[in-house]
Amino acid sequence: MSERITVSLGERSYDILVGAGLVTEAGKLLAPLARGPMPVVTDANVAKLHLTALLEVLKQARLDARPIVLEPGEGTKSFRGLEMLCTELLAAGVDRGGLVVAFGGGVIGDLTGFAAGILKRGIDFAQIPTTLLAQVDSSVGGKTAINTVEGKNLVGVFHQPKIVLVDTGVLSTLPRRELLAGYAEVAKYGALGDAAFFAWLEANGAKALAGDADAIVDAVAHSCRMKADIVARDEREAGERALLNLGHTFGHALEAATGYSDRLLHGEGVALGMALAFRLSVKLGLCPGQDAERFTRHLKAVGLPVEIVDIPGPRPTVGALLEHMAHDKKVKDGKLTFVLVRGIGQAFVTSDIPREAVREVLEK
Ligand SMILES: NC(=O)c1ccc[n+]([C@@H]2O[C@H](COP(=O)([O-])OP(=O)(O)OC[C@H]3O[C@@H](n4cnc5c(N)ncnc54)[C@H](O)[C@@H]3O)[C@@H](O)[C@H]2O)c1
Ligand SMILES: [Zn+2]
């Protein structure tokens, strides 16, 4: 049994299917979309654990799968990684009318989506996300990108996939820390627009993280549905889609200040960033203190960082964090744009936040 969610974007509409063990149906589901050789792009970690099973079902469906295995890690999302992947895709002989499959976390999804978007002026692609973060966030919505020395995700295109196959079963091999980092984005959906979902997470989140099959399918499907609805209303982030950046202005600054290192995963930065966004909202008199405490308590209970001191190693300075925020690509006319909250489930975007209030929240 799988859940089907449609991302409604006119002729670019597509379905997200969510289920435990869905990879076993990948052949049947991808066959109608593919013609000719079908590159399957993955990284070495995912390849070791899950590639054989996927290739087997594709073979059974008589698909001409051509595995391309890249080095794991954010470094692969680079011009060099892009060039290498394009070379491999061309060598595999993929053509317009063909299908490229991204089988991995957000790194593989973002890079493969971008390569598919520009190769031969655009080739169809499918996402089979294998991290919780990729399943609830990066595989949905069509943003693709690589990083440059100037910053993360600065070069990319919007290129929507043809289908997203989310198999929650593959999460059983994901390291706990990566799982939790993805959970931060799950909790984000509750915080930004769905108090009832947040309450559900308080009751069932730990169960989902412990591997309960029904709970994790429900959590992932609900998250995808929320993102799909937001993307359908605002594909290019002219407005509402910006709500998905809750916790990300602080989070990106913390990631930058810790050198995008192993000290702080993206989702951990988002968890901490959301806790800070709640505190800033309370400080500005916008949000009841209880909501901030309740939200933070849940993140902490599952094991996510909620205080800057939770980051191992030297503490990032307030000055450095403010400096990073000033360089965020979401800065307009020198003003800091933040997603703040009026309570759990009630986020909004605002762009004239006094720097002093931000400083005080960071100093605390
Ligand atoms: N396009 C978007 O809208 C969007 C949204 C959010 C994040 N992102 C991007 O996503 C990236 C982060 O994605 P991520 O957190 O998935 O990182 P990732 O792709 O680096 O995966 C994390 C680690 O988990 C391993 N892994 C993946 N699946 C596994 C599995 N099933 N079992 C065991 N190990 C597995 C990977 O090899 C890697 O070491 C960032 O580059 C970020 O910018 C994009
Ligand atoms: Zn994020």
Side-chain angles (χ1 to χ4, degrees):
M1 267 303 287
S2 61
E3 298 221 27
R4 180 182 297 266
I5 298 140
T6 301
V7 187
S8 304
L9 291 167
E11 60 184 15
R12 280 169 293 109
S13 296
Y14 56 95
D15 284 345
I16 305 163
L17 300 178
V18 183
L22 199 68
V23 160
T24 55
E25 291 171 49
K28 188 179 77 193
L29 293 165
L30 296 181
L33 303 170
R35 206 185 62 207
M38 188 170 85
V40 176
V41 185
T42 190
D43 75 24
N45 294 336
V46 179
K48 205 161 48 193
L49 296 160
H50 302 290
L51 185 60
T52 312
L54 176 62
L55 293 179
E56 188 51 41
V57 298
L58 297 179
K59 199 170 126 196
Q60 277 166 15
R62 297 176 183 284
L63 291 164
D64 180 13
R66 308 280 179 94
I68 298 174
V69 182
L70 307 176
E71 219 177 285
E74 191 70 31
T76 296
K77 247 180 77 173
S78 61
F79 272 116
R80 195 169 150 266
L82 178 70
E83 186 179 6
M84 282 174 11
L85 177 55
C86 286
T87 306
E88 297 243 24
L89 290 172
L90 290 168
V94 68
D95 233 320
R96 280 215 223 152
L99 185 78
V100 178
V101 177
F103 184 48
V107 165
I108 290 299
D110 277 14
L111 175 69
T112 306
F114 186 30
I118 59 174
L119 203 76
K120 302 194 174 174
R121 300 192 181 83
I123 294 175
D124 289 346
F125 85 114
Q127 291 264 22
I128 309 183
T130 63
T131 64
L132 182 55
L133 183 132
Q135 296 191 342
V136 299
D137 192 356
S138 62
S139 68
V140 175
K143 280 191 185 177
T144 77
I146 57 169
N147 309 320
T148 71
V149 286
E150 288 79 15
K152 278 193 64 176
N153 298 326
L154 292 176
V155 177
V157 294
F158 281 95
H159 186 47
Q160 298 289 349
K162 285 289 159 197
I163 192 168
V164 183
L165 303 183
V166 179
D167 182 350
T168 51
V170 300
L171 299 178
S172 64
T173 57
L174 194 65
R176 174 84 186 170
R177 195 177 164 203
E178 295 285 354
L179 192 68
L180 279 177
Y183 187 79
E185 306 278 6
V186 174
K188 181 184 80 178
Y189 292 108
L192 76 85
D194 193 336
F197 180 53
F198 185 75
W200 184 88
L201 289 173
E202 287 177 310
N204 299 287
K207 209 161 77 180
L209 286 166
D212 180 279
D214 291 338
I216 190 76
V217 168
D218 287 349
V220 171
H222 192 90
S223 301
C224 288
R225 195 166 293 118
M226 282 190 72
K227 182 156 183 186
D229 289 349
I230 291 172
V231 168
R233 290 191 292 262
D234 179 21
E235 186 182 9
R236 300 241 160 187
E237 202 169 316
E240 188 188 356
R241 189 166 179 170
L243 294 178
L244 296 170
N245 296 323
L246 175 62
H248 282 63
T249 302
F250 283 119
H252 286 152
L254 290 161
E255 280 184 276
T258 48
Y260 299 100
S261 67
D262 191 42
R263 286 171 60 203
L264 191 71
L265 301 179
H266 172 74
E268 293 170 339
V270 171
L272 227 165
M274 289 191 291
L276 291 167
F278 265 93
R279 278 173 218 147
L280 179 57
S281 305
V282 173
K283 178 159 203 63
L284 296 170
L286 297 161
C287 170
Q290 291 135 275
D291 280 43
E293 278 157 34
R294 184 179 155 203
F295 180 73
T296 308
R297 202 181 315 128
H298 178 58
L299 293 188
K300 199 172 165 163
V302 297
L304 281 163
V306 290
E307 307 281 350
I308 296 180
V309 291
D310 292 342
I311 305 171
R315 191 176 166 174
T317 67
V318 172
L321 292 172
L322 285 168
E323 187 63 18
H324 284 300
M325 282 189 233
H327 286 119
D328 196 286
K329 68 174 182 267
K330 270 118 200 160
V331 173
K332 276 204 190 105
D333 310 325
K335 286 203 174 131
L336 291 177
T337 297
F338 273 95
V339 184
L340 294 183
V341 285
R342 296 202 168 84
I344 290 170
Q346 301 171 62
F348 65 101
V349 181
T350 175
S351 64
D352 36 20
I353 296 303
R355 248 180 118 90
E356 258 332 283
V358 178
R359 175 188 294 279
E360 282 168 33
V361 164
L362 289 172
E363 270 163 1
K364 241 173 138 191

